[in-house]
């Protein structure tokens, strides 16, 4: 069997194995990512870095995604998906170890850029692999399983850091080890990697952002709301009377809701028009953002609503990704997935400042008002897009 394959030539068992390989790889990377973010923050703080410097360094990862994403399909088309994944895993492991041994903080900026570039390649190609192999009748289920596995991985990273601590080499070695472990399923999957033909120069990431605004816009909104929510939920909690420890649990409730809901939402998406489901999820997310301030002083209702709201907003990523896979294939799917990940990264960068402005203008509920405006704009765009597509012959 060759190192790349045509999806149509695979048996159902080979498809399922390929999906499992890609999910295992990216889930281990997710653990490493969620371990690295607080690890590098604590390490920079210990070296005397200001909050502004830490924030700018963190933003380098998003800038790397924006810079690298348009090139990923072309690279993978030249050297192959597996080879590109191996190179990205090696780069990720090397750069995380570089943080442990490189002392000047200015040098952490190019390191963070390279680390972010490796993550962009890993997420784009892993999601392309999963989407390319997913059968249409169960595409939403497959994406729900992927989103759930990734969310569990994101929850595991901080727990590992609590054991290893941020001092010394242990956390860096564990993070690099996770990258090495992620290479094992890819190595096992020889002959199961999807092929990418030569990209069409006219169909770059901007082309797919323009023709697939439901999917790519959903990625942007989810990235902005997720990161902004994680940033401002604890502050919101303390403003409405929770202790610092209890307020921090609001973030956990949002994550729990995300983990619990993605498979059910994925199953629903296999039975309905995904465009309408995306619109419904965005509208429910908007309603939740408006409702949260009204239950802020009923702490039981607040925690329950945040959990449900987190699951609904998380469903935007799952269903939008499935919608993308249903529309495109081959190199178009790889490039569209690069556009999707790029828009998600832009959302990660834009979310905290947008919600921060809202929070400052109207404490303590302003962050949720900002979320409501963001989701409201997306609802309008999504509704317009669906209506326009329905009017076309």
């Amino acid at each position: 069997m060759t190192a790349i394959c045509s999806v149509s030539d695979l048996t159902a068992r080979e498809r399922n194995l390929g999906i499992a390989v890609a999910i295992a790889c990216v889930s281990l990377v997710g653990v490493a990512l969620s371990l690295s973010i607080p690890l590098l923050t604590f390490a920079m703080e210990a070296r005397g870095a200001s909050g502004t410097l830490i924030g700018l360094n963190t933003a380098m990862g998003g800038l790397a995604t924006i810079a690298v994403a348009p090139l990923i399909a072309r690279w993978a088309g030249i050297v192959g998906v597996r080879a590109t994944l191996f190179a990205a895993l090696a780069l990720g492991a090397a750069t995380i170890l570089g943080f442990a041994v490189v002392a000047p903080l200015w040098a952490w900026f190019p390191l963070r850029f390279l680390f972010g570039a490796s993550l962009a390649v890993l997420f784009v190609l892993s999601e392309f692999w999963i989407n390319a192999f997913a059968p249409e009748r169960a595409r939403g289920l497959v994406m729900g399983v992927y989103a759930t596995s990734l969310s569990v991985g994101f929850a595991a990273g901080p727990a590992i850091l609590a054991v290893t601590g941020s001092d010394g080499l242990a956390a860096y070695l564990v993070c690099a080890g996770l990258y090495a472990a992620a290479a094992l399923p890819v190595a096992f999957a020889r002959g199961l990697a999807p092929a990418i033909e030569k990209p069409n120069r006219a169909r770059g990431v901007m082309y797919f952002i323009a023709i697939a605004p439901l999917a790519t816009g959903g990625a942007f909104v989810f990235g902005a709301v997720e990161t902004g929510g994680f940033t401002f939920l604890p502050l919101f909690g303390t403003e409405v009377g929770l202790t610092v420890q209890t307020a921090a649990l609001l973030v956990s409730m949002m994550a729990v809701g995300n983990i619990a809901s993605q498979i059910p939402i994925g199953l629903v998406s296999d039975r309905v028009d995904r465009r309408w489901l995306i619109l419904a999820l965005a509208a429910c997310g908007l309603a939740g953002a408006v409702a949260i301030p009204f239950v802020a002083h009923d702490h039981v209702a607040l925690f329950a609503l945040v959990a449900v709201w987190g699951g609904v907003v998380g469903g935007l990523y799952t269903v939008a990704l499935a919608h993308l896979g249903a529309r495109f294939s081959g190199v178009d799917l790889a490039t569209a997935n690069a556009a999707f990940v790029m828009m998600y990264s832009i959302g990660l960068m834009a979310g905290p400042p947008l919600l921060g402005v809202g929070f400052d203008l109207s404490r303590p509920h302003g962050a949720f008002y900002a979320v409501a405006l963001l989701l409201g704009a997306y609802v309008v765009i999504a509704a317009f897009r669906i209506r326009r597509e329905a009017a076309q012959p």
Side-chain angles (χ1 to χ4, degrees):
M1 189 177 285
T2 59
I4 57 176
C5 65
S6 172
V7 176
S8 61
D9 294 335
L10 296 176
T11 66
R13 180 180 177 278
E14 287 171 330
R15 279 183 179 235
N16 291 337
L17 182 58
I19 290 169
V21 162
I23 289 177
C25 172
V26 75
S27 296
L28 287 167
V29 170
V31 178
L33 172 59
S34 65
L35 168 59
S36 70
I37 291 173
L39 169 63
L40 297 179
T41 297
F42 289 140
M44 290 189 73
E45 185 180 45
R47 297 187 184 196
S50 66
T52 300
L53 192 65
I54 292 170
L56 290 173
N57 185 259
T58 304
M60 290 299 292
L63 292 176
T65 299
I66 295 169
V68 169
L71 308 173
I72 294 173
R74 185 168 300 278
W75 292 341
I78 294 171
V79 304
V81 170
R82 288 174 74 248
T84 309
L85 285 172
F86 282 134
L89 288 166
L91 178 62
T95 50
I96 197 66
L97 292 175
F99 286 114
V101 298
V102 173
L105 286 180
W106 66 261
W108 282 38
F109 282 81
L111 279 176
R112 194 69 172 243
F113 185 92
L114 293 173
F115 188 61
S118 74
L119 289 168
V121 173
L122 290 163
F123 277 95
V124 167
L125 292 184
S126 295
E127 289 180 354
F128 160 68
W129 190 336
I130 296 164
N131 233 335
F133 279 23
E136 182 53 37
R137 68 183 184 280
R139 188 180 302 278
L141 172 61
V142 170
M143 291 305 150
V145 171
Y146 159 65
T148 302
S149 300
L150 192 61
S151 296
V152 171
F154 283 162
I160 294 173
L161 186 62
V163 175
T164 63
S166 58
D167 299 327
L169 291 175
Y172 297 95
L173 292 173
V174 170
C175 197
L178 287 165
Y179 274 87
L184 296 177
V186 179
F188 173 75
R190 182 175 177 80
L192 291 179
I196 297 181
E197 63 270 23
K198 185 178 179 180
N200 184 333
R201 288 185 178 273
R203 296 185 177 182
V205 292
M206 298 307 297
Y207 172 83
F208 288 99
I209 290 172
I211 69 167
L214 269 180
T216 55
F220 170 82
V221 170
F222 173 68
V225 174
E226 179 193 44
T227 311
F230 284 177
T231 301
F232 287 98
L233 270 172
L235 295 177
F236 170 77
T238 57
E239 291 275 344
V240 298
L242 299 176
T243 65
V244 171
Q245 293 80 2
T246 306
L249 292 177
L250 286 171
V251 175
S252 299
M253 291 305 296
M254 186 176 176
V256 167
N258 193 6
I259 292 169
S261 64
Q262 297 318 299
I263 291 177
I265 289 174
L267 285 168
V268 171
S269 81
D270 289 330
R271 290 160 175 80
V272 301
D273 186 327
R274 293 192 181 99
R275 297 173 303 168
W276 287 104
L277 182 56
I278 290 170
L279 179 60
L281 289 169
C284 290
L286 167 60
V290 172
I292 284 173
F294 289 96
V295 300
H297 296 287
D298 183 341
H299 296 164
V300 173
L302 174 62
F303 273 79
L305 183 55
V306 165
V308 173
W309 182 69
V312 167
V313 173
L316 283 174
Y317 192 94
T318 300
V319 182
L321 197 56
H323 178 58
L324 207 66
R327 287 194 62 185
F328 306 110
S329 61
V331 68
D332 281 350
L333 177 57
T335 310
N337 214 115
F340 187 87
V341 171
M342 187 173 81
M343 289 295 285
Y344 172 74
S345 294
I346 294 172
L348 292 183
M349 297 171 65
L354 289 174
L355 270 65
V357 170
F359 186 78
D360 288 340
L361 290 176
S362 181
R363 298 171 72 106
H365 306 308
F368 287 102
Y369 298 154
V371 168
L373 287 173
L374 186 62
L375 284 165
Y378 179 65
V379 165
V380 172
I381 293 169
F384 175 80
R385 180 69 181 184
I386 292 170
R387 181 179 179 182
R388 181 181 176 184
E389 289 178 356
Q392 292 176 344

